[in-house]
Amino acid sequence: MGFRVIKTAIAAFMAVLIADWCRLPGPTSAGLLAILGVDVTRKRSIRTISARFFASVVGLLFASVLFHFLGFHYWVLGVYILTAFPVIVRAGFKEGIVTGSVVVFRVFSGGEMDLHVILVQIALLLIGLGSAMVVNLAYMPAADPQMLRIRKRIDELFSKIFQEFAATLRNPDEVWAGKELIEADKAVLGGIEAAKRSLENQVIHPNEGWSVYFYMRKTQLDSIQHMMHLVSQVYQRMPHAEMVSELFDQLSRDVLTESYTGRTEKLLADVQEEFKRMELPDTREEFEMRSAILQLCRELEMYLKIAKKDKAPSPISDRPQSTNGS
C-alpha cells in the first residue's frame, strides 16, 4: 500500500467526521473533496488546493446565476461548461476545474440554488480541501534515503565506466558495450526528479544541495561521453595511453569516496608534465592518437574542476558539507 493511499484515507475520514460533526448535509462530499485534494508534495499541495478552492467558488457563482435564470436543465450544464471553464482557466485556476465541476454538478442534482446552498458547499470545500491540506503539510516521507541510494548507484556506475576507460587505453582491442553510460544517465535523471520532489516538500528554508549534486553529475556525464569518444580514437598501445589509464584507475577509486581527495588531480598534473618532456611523434598515426590523449586529459581536467567546485549533500546533516569524490 502506497503512502499516498494512506494519506488519502486519513484525509477523507477526517473530512467526513468534521462535516458530520458540523451537521452539514452530505458529509461524504467533504470526503470526496479531500480525496481530490491530496497531492504528492507540500508546495504542490498548497498550489493545487488553492486553485481547486477558488475554481469551485467561481464555478458556484456562475452556476448560481445560470440555475437561477435558466433553471435546472441538462442543457444548462453545457452552458455552464462553455462559460465558466474559460474564465476559470484565465483566472489561473485550471487545476481546479474538476473539483469545481464536482461541486456544481452536486448542486445541480439537489435541484435548488440559494445562499444557504452556496454557504454549505463552501463549508464542505473548506473542510474537505482543508483536511487534505493538513494531511499533506503534516508529513511527507523523507527523500534523503532514496537520494542516497541513487547517489551510491551513480558513483558505482561512474567507477565502472572509468575502469573500462583504463582497460581500453591499456588494450585498444578491449570491447565495452557501454551499458553503464545508459544506466548512469537514467540514474542521474531519476536523482534530479527526486531532488525536485524534495524541494517541493520544503516549504520553509529549502535546501538545494541534492539538486546541485545531481546537476553536477549530469554535467560530468556529458564530459564522460566526450571522453569516451576520445578514448575510442586511441587504437594502438602506447606509453602515453598507459599513463592516462592509471589516471582512470585512480579516478575509479576516488569517485567512491565521500570527499574530494585531489589525488587524481595531482596525478594528472604529473602526467601532463611528463608529456612535455617526451619526444614529439614520428608518424601521423601517433600524432593523431597523442592529440586525442591530450584532449582526453583536458576533458578530465574539466571533469575534476566540476567535482571540486560543486558540493554534494552530507548523509548526516541537512546542509551540504563535503564534496563528492570526483
Side-chain angles (χ1 to χ4, degrees):
M1 183 184 297
F3 183 74
R4 186 176 180 182
V5 175
I6 297 174
K7 290 199 306 179
T8 303
I10 294 173
F13 181 62
M14 182 190 305
V16 172
L17 285 182
I18 295 173
D20 184 64
W21 180 77
C22 294
R23 299 187 181 280
L24 294 174
T28 54
S29 298
L32 176 60
L33 292 168
I35 292 172
L36 294 173
V38 173
D39 221 316
V40 293
T41 66
R42 289 189 175 100
K43 286 185 179 178
R44 182 174 172 180
S45 172
I46 294 172
R47 290 196 302 267
T48 57
I49 286 178
S50 299
R52 285 165 181 160
F53 176 79
F54 289 113
S56 299
V57 172
V58 172
L60 279 171
L61 293 176
F62 268 86
S64 63
V65 174
L66 292 174
F67 294 158
H68 177 75
F69 288 103
L70 302 179
F72 290 85
H73 306 288
Y74 290 128
W75 60 268
V76 178
L77 293 175
V79 176
Y80 164 77
I81 293 172
L82 291 173
T83 56
F85 279 21
V87 174
I88 292 173
V89 171
R90 295 195 64 178
F93 306 138
K94 181 180 179 180
E95 291 176 312
I97 284 179
V98 173
T99 305
S101 299
V102 169
V103 174
V104 170
F105 277 54
R106 188 171 61 245
V107 171
F108 178 85
S109 299
E112 63 176 301
M113 172 64 81
D114 54 28
L115 181 60
H116 174 71
V117 171
I118 294 176
L119 293 177
V120 167
Q121 296 305 318
I122 291 177
L124 290 171
L125 279 167
L126 290 172
I127 293 172
L129 296 178
S131 297
M133 177 77 78
V134 169
V135 171
N136 280 332
L137 295 180
Y139 179 73
M140 285 286 178
D144 279 1
Q146 177 193 11
M147 290 189 287
L148 282 169
R149 288 193 297 270
I150 296 174
R151 183 176 75 174
K152 183 179 179 183
R153 177 61 177 160
I154 293 171
D155 293 349
E156 291 171 349
L157 288 168
F158 273 36
S159 178
K160 177 62 177 176
I161 291 169
F162 295 140
Q163 290 173 19
E164 293 292 344
F165 282 179
T168 303
L169 288 169
R170 290 193 181 94
N171 179 16
D173 296 328
E174 184 83 19
V175 177
W176 175 45
K179 66 176 183 177
E180 288 82 6
L181 270 172
I182 299 173
E183 293 177 11
D185 185 61
K186 290 181 179 178
V188 168
L189 292 178
I192 290 173
E193 288 301 314
K196 287 180 179 178
R197 287 194 299 270
S198 178
L199 278 176
E200 286 284 307
N201 279 325
Q202 300 172 44
V203 181
I204 303 174
H205 305 304
N207 170 30
E208 298 184 358
W210 280 113
S211 293
V212 171
Y213 168 75
F214 287 118
Y215 277 111
M216 175 193 75
R217 284 308 195 202
K218 177 62 177 173
T219 305
Q220 288 181 324
L221 193 59
D222 294 338
S223 181
I224 287 173
Q225 290 173 339
H226 293 153
M227 291 185 207
M228 182 177 68
H229 175 69
L230 293 168
V231 168
S232 67
Q233 296 180 36
V234 182
Y235 50 86
Q236 292 181 5
R237 295 186 181 184
M238 54 192 311
H240 304 77
E242 179 69 29
M243 294 170 65
V244 176
S245 70
E246 295 177 3
L247 289 175
F248 285 109
D249 281 335
Q250 181 63 56
L251 186 56
S252 70
R253 296 188 292 271
D254 286 351
V255 78
L256 297 174
T257 61
E258 282 292 323
S259 59
Y260 185 84
T261 66
R263 287 190 290 263
T264 304
E265 184 181 10
K266 183 179 183 303
L267 187 58
L268 174 61
D270 294 339
V271 168
Q272 289 174 325
E273 286 299 319
E274 182 65 24
F275 282 176
K276 292 178 182 178
R277 293 192 290 268
M278 299 177 77
E279 295 182 358
L280 295 174
D282 296 326
T283 64
R284 179 181 180 85
E285 290 78 9
E286 183 183 358
F287 173 81
E288 290 174 348
M289 287 187 290
R290 285 178 62 172
S291 175
I293 291 172
L294 181 60
Q295 293 179 60
L296 179 60
C297 290
R298 289 175 177 170
E299 192 67 47
L300 178 56
E301 186 177 9
M302 292 299 298
Y303 171 95
L304 294 173
K305 284 181 179 179
I306 295 170
K308 190 174 183 179
K309 178 176 69 71
D310 292 325
K311 294 186 175 182
S314 166
I316 299 175
S317 172
D318 288 335
R319 294 185 297 271
Q321 293 179 350
S322 61
T323 52
N324 194 282
S326 289

